[in-house]
Amino acid sequence: MTYEGITADSLFLLAENRFQNSKSYYEEHKPAIRQGVIEPLRHLAADLAPAVLAIDPLLVVDPMKNGCVSRVRRDTRFTLDKCLYRENMWVAFLRDKRAWDYCLPAFYVDFSIQRVEYGVGFYSAEPAVMQLLRRHAQEQPQVFLKALRRAQRAGFPLSGQPYARPRSTEETPALLRPLYDCRNVELSRTAGPEMMADPALPERLVAEFEALAPIYRLLIAAVEEHHRLKG
């Protein structure tokens, strides 16, 4: 089957389930959540799989593995927020987490009743990987600028969590400054929650993920070099 959309009613049910924070409420509404949210997300992952594998054959696309499709039930063991259920859900494509001992860049779509966010995120990048990215950008500025211009034309500016003090200089091209001035990397867009109801969502995401493919490949190249150096 293919993606047919996630309705506003299903998004409201997710939000209400989090608000109720009740196992009995969840069990009562579990079939509706599965039918209205979980199954459509698995179909979305399947529809996107060929395109993301063409970008990186090592990305995990099985919706049952690697956190590809999020669970409604939250893991509360390592967080101060002990709410049992989430109202935001996602599809995320990254390499097998078991094979790496640090964060990896990922293509993702994250949504709730409030908004949709999607793109490429590298949110817990190792400082050593960021140093390699900066070195690569210094060695191949035109390659990075070409990749970033393509992403920007598609609506995905480069951003991240800034350092207290900027590390770029007046000579650093404006497009590259976030790479120097931030401790992680994000290229994302936001949209209204009605985006999730569109059956044409897979086609839209394929086009936009392809626009992000060049910068993703530069990110993963730095990760791979760091992995080799750690040996």
Side-chain angles (χ1 to χ4, degrees):
M1 296 181 66
T2 58
Y3 183 73
E4 296 180 353
I6 295 173
T7 66
D9 286 344
S10 293
L11 295 179
F12 178 82
L13 181 56
L14 278 177
E16 182 66 16
N17 184 62
R18 178 178 173 85
F19 176 77
Q20 294 292 335
N21 196 30
S22 161
K23 185 177 180 181
S24 61
Y25 184 91
Y26 172 68
E27 291 298 330
E28 179 183 352
H29 295 87
K30 187 175 180 178
I33 293 173
R34 175 176 291 275
Q35 181 178 356
V37 180
I38 302 300
E39 291 301 328
L41 284 185
R42 291 173 179 172
H43 297 158
L44 179 61
D47 289 346
L48 295 174
V52 297
L53 287 174
I55 295 169
D56 181 355
L58 296 181
L59 291 171
V60 178
V61 297
D62 186 337
M64 307 300 290
K65 297 180 179 179
N66 210 48
C68 180
V69 170
S70 59
R71 299 176 182 270
V72 178
R73 180 67 163 86
R74 298 178 65 248
D75 183 351
T76 60
R77 292 174 298 170
F78 310 109
T79 178
L80 295 176
D81 181 0
K82 299 303 180 182
C83 185
L84 297 174
Y85 306 100
R86 65 176 72 255
E87 67 172 327
N88 72 299
M89 297 285 286
W90 65 77
V91 172
F93 300 103
L94 64 158
R95 292 184 176 185
D96 188 350
K97 292 184 288 188
R98 298 171 301 178
W100 306 79
D101 58 359
Y102 44 85
C103 177
L104 296 163
F107 291 92
Y108 72 96
V109 186
D110 183 294
F111 66 94
S112 69
I113 196 171
Q114 299 169 332
R115 58 96 183 101
V116 181
E117 181 179 316
Y118 59 104
V120 165
F122 194 16
Y123 294 108
S124 299
E126 290 280 307
V129 175
M130 293 300 297
Q131 289 175 2
L132 284 170
L133 275 170
R134 295 174 192 121
R135 193 195 78 198
H136 293 175
Q138 289 175 334
E139 294 171 348
Q140 308 173 78
Q142 293 308 313
V143 173
F144 274 75
L145 287 169
K146 182 178 179 180
L148 289 170
R149 288 188 187 110
R150 182 174 178 186
Q152 189 173 67
R153 286 195 299 269
F156 296 92
L158 178 64
S159 63
Q161 181 185 5
Y163 292 112
R165 296 180 180 179
R167 300 186 177 190
S168 60
T169 68
E170 291 183 0
E171 288 74 33
T172 307
L175 279 178
L176 289 176
R177 285 178 185 171
L179 195 63
Y180 289 82
D181 296 342
C182 295
R183 61 183 75 246
N184 55 18
V185 171
E186 176 183 2
L187 298 104
S188 67
R189 292 183 64 175
T190 58
E194 64 277 3
M195 177 178 171
M196 297 306 299
D198 186 359
L201 178 61
E203 290 83 357
R204 174 176 176 173
L205 291 175
V206 164
E208 294 181 327
F209 285 177
E210 287 175 347
L212 291 167
I215 192 64
Y216 168 83
R217 292 188 178 109
L218 293 171
L219 298 177
I220 204 67
V223 170
E224 290 174 334
E225 181 172 349
H226 176 55
H227 190 69
R228 290 194 298 271
L229 291 173
K230 287 183 67 176

